[in-house]
């Protein structure tokens, strides 16, 4: 659904050719930030904005030799710089600085008593689901926080987080727009006076998605598959229930977010189809970590991290036997969900 913004060398050349065929008017509509490029390179003074029906290269070729000499312009160099500027800005705005995450590694720290955590290292990969289990107050949220801020032994736990086996760049760690991790908390409260459509379109525009309508329809369709009660594109986001809000944010994160890592806190309390939500996220190559008290969700994960006394006590891979138990739990859960629906509808059991 989202625009493909990962460019290799061949892809960059193709993108440059594609951009060179568009008029300046079209480029301004798609990439409004190019006005800054025009101003910085004194092209505004050369009336580039009065020539918006031309392509950029056509505009440059139409400049006289005298104009180029007076402004010290090299047509070929300026053309290359212009299209490279668009490509680099699009990469930045789409969070491509955090794309290409092949693995997330958690290196051990200590628990609240200062004792070493009981594992060597833990490597997680895209499309994996990892559950985090433990008593309330045991330190599940602290682990999520360490991952979100890519801790480097500078948090109370002393843990370190590696991306693709290496210490992450400081630009990723300390950016106010940290796109490495998307965190979905228990409470999703909207304060903006927008409809669902306007909310999705705003996010799509910020991500420079080319086909906004496809993004909008894809997200609302996915969200309504997750939510217990359907909602429409013209519904004000402030009128959404807790479950509807969570469904919208999960669908939006899966389809539009550039963040390769998703942290979820107690998805069982979201009032949504939990299994479908997780399937949607991992189908978009996300690494999903969820703190949960639900045994079915804990076993649905590929692995579970057991937290005790503020530290990682164990890392357990879900066994085939546990998968069989999961099947039994899902049958029981389906019965409970059916009863819940009937009770909500005013039926007798």
């Amino acid at each position: 659904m989202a625009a493909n913004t990962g460019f290799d060398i061949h892809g960059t050349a193709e993108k440059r050719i594609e951009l060179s065929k568009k008029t300046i008017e079209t480029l301004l509509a798609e990439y409004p930030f190019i006005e800054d490029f025009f101003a910085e390179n004194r092209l505004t003074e050369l009336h580039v904005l009065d020539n918006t029906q031309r392509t950029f290269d056509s505009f440059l070729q139409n400049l006289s030799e005298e104009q180029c000499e007076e402004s010290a312009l090299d047509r070929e160099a300026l053309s290359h710089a212009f299209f490279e500027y668009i490509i680099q800005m699009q990469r930045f705005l789409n969070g491509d600085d955090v794309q290409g995450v092949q693995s997330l590694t958690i290196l051990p720290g200590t628990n609240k008593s200062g004792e070493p955590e009981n594992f060597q290292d833990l490597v997680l990969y895209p499309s994996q689901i990892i559950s985090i289990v433990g008593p309330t107050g045991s330190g599940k949220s602290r682990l999520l926080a360490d991952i979100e801020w890519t801790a480097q032994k500078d948090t109370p736990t002393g843990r370190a987080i590696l991306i693709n086996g290496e210490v992450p760049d400081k630009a990723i760690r300390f950016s106010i727009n940290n796109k490495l991790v998307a965190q979905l908390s228990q409470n999703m409260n909207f304060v903006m006076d927008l409809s669902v459509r306007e909310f999705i379109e705003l996010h799509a525009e910020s991500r420079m998605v080319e086909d906004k309508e496809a993004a909008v329809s894809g997200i609302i369709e996915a969200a309504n598959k997750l939510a217990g009660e359907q909602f429409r594109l013209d519904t004000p986001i402030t009128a959404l229930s807790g479950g509807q809000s969570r469904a919208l944010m999960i669908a939006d994160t899966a389809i539009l977010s550039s963040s390769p890592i998703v942290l979820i806190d107690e998805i069982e309390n979201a009032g949504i189809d939990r299994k479908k939500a997780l399937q949607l996220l991992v189908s978009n190559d996300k690494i999903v970590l969820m703190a949960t008290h639900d045994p079915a969700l804990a076993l649905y994960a590929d692995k579970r991290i057991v937290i005790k006394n503020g530290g990682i006590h164990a890392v357990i891979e879900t066994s085939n036997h546990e998968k069989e138990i999961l099947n039994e739990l899902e049958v029981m859960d389906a019965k409970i969900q059916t009863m819940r629906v009937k009770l909500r509808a005013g039926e007798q059991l």
Side-chain angles (χ1 to χ4, degrees), residues 190-209:
F190 294 108
V191 295
M192 294 180 289
D193 185 20
L194 298 172
S195 67
V196 171
R197 174 184 286 279
E198 289 169 334
F199 172 79
I200 300 172
E201 286 181 340
L202 189 64
H203 189 192
E205 286 172 7
S206 72
R207 296 288 322 285
M208 308 193 78
V209 171

Side-chain angles (χ1 to χ4, degrees), residues 73-183:
L73 296 182
D74 181 325
R75 290 188 182 92
E76 185 177 346
L78 192 59
S79 173
H80 178 84
F82 176 65
F83 296 119
E84 187 64 23
Y85 175 79
I86 293 176
I87 290 170
Q88 293 297 332
M89 279 294 291
Q90 192 177 21
R91 285 180 178 176
F92 172 76
L93 292 171
N94 280 281
D96 285 354
D97 52 331
V98 298
Q99 294 297 306
V101 172
Q102 303 301 318
S103 67
L104 165 72
T105 302
I106 304 172
L107 299 180
T110 58
N111 63 18
K112 292 177 182 178
S113 302
E115 300 166 334
E117 293 186 295
N118 191 29
F119 71 105
Q120 294 299 314
D121 57 29
L122 175 58
V123 184
L124 311 178
Y125 300 97
S127 296
Q128 274 192 332
I129 300 173
I130 309 299
S131 61
I132 304 171
V133 301
T136 299
S138 60
K140 298 188 295 298
S141 295
R142 178 69 262 174
L143 174 58
L144 294 179
D146 282 351
I147 295 168
E148 182 175 14
W149 296 107
T150 53
Q152 296 301 310
K153 299 183 179 180
D154 51 3
T155 68
T157 64
R159 296 185 187 111
I161 306 297
L162 306 180
I163 303 298
N164 298 337
E166 299 179 351
V167 174
D169 190 277
K170 288 183 179 180
I172 294 176
R173 286 200 71 201
F174 302 114
S175 168
I176 60 173
N177 293 317
N178 186 347
K179 297 185 180 74
L180 183 68
V181 172
Q183 182 154 5

Side-chain angles (χ1 to χ4, degrees), residues 187-236:
N187 299 310
M188 310 297 296
N189 295 317
F190 294 108
V191 295
M192 294 180 289
D193 185 20
L194 298 172
S195 67
V196 171
R197 174 184 286 279
E198 289 169 334
F199 172 79
I200 300 172
E201 286 181 340
L202 189 64
H203 189 192
E205 286 172 7
S206 72
R207 296 288 322 285
M208 308 193 78
V209 171
E210 293 177 7
D211 193 343
K212 285 192 297 183
E213 194 55 42
V216 170
S217 61
I219 289 172
I220 189 68
E221 180 183 355
N224 274 323
K225 287 180 180 177
L226 305 180
E229 185 178 352
Q230 304 283 289
F231 57 97
R232 303 194 310 267
L233 286 170
D234 60 358
T235 304

Side-chain angles (χ1 to χ4, degrees), residues 25-96:
E25 181 180 50
T26 300
L27 292 173
L28 280 166
E30 295 179 2
Y31 313 107
F33 54 77
I34 63 174
E35 282 201 55
D36 293 336
F37 182 92
F38 294 155
E40 290 170 8
N41 289 277
R42 302 175 61 189
L43 296 177
T44 307
E45 299 171 18
L46 295 174
H47 307 292
V48 65
L49 298 179
D50 295 329
N51 289 268
T52 56
Q53 298 307 311
R54 294 178 177 274
T55 64
F56 185 69
D57 285 340
S58 173
F59 162 74
L60 292 179
Q61 293 304 317
N62 195 53
L63 295 175
S64 67
E65 292 299 329
E66 183 179 355
Q67 286 175 308
C68 289
E69 287 179 11
E70 287 180 357
S71 301
L73 296 182
D74 181 325
R75 290 188 182 92
E76 185 177 346
L78 192 59
S79 173
H80 178 84
F82 176 65
F83 296 119
E84 187 64 23
Y85 175 79
I86 293 176
I87 290 170
Q88 293 297 332
M89 279 294 291
Q90 192 177 21
R91 285 180 178 176
F92 172 76
L93 292 171
N94 280 281
D96 285 354

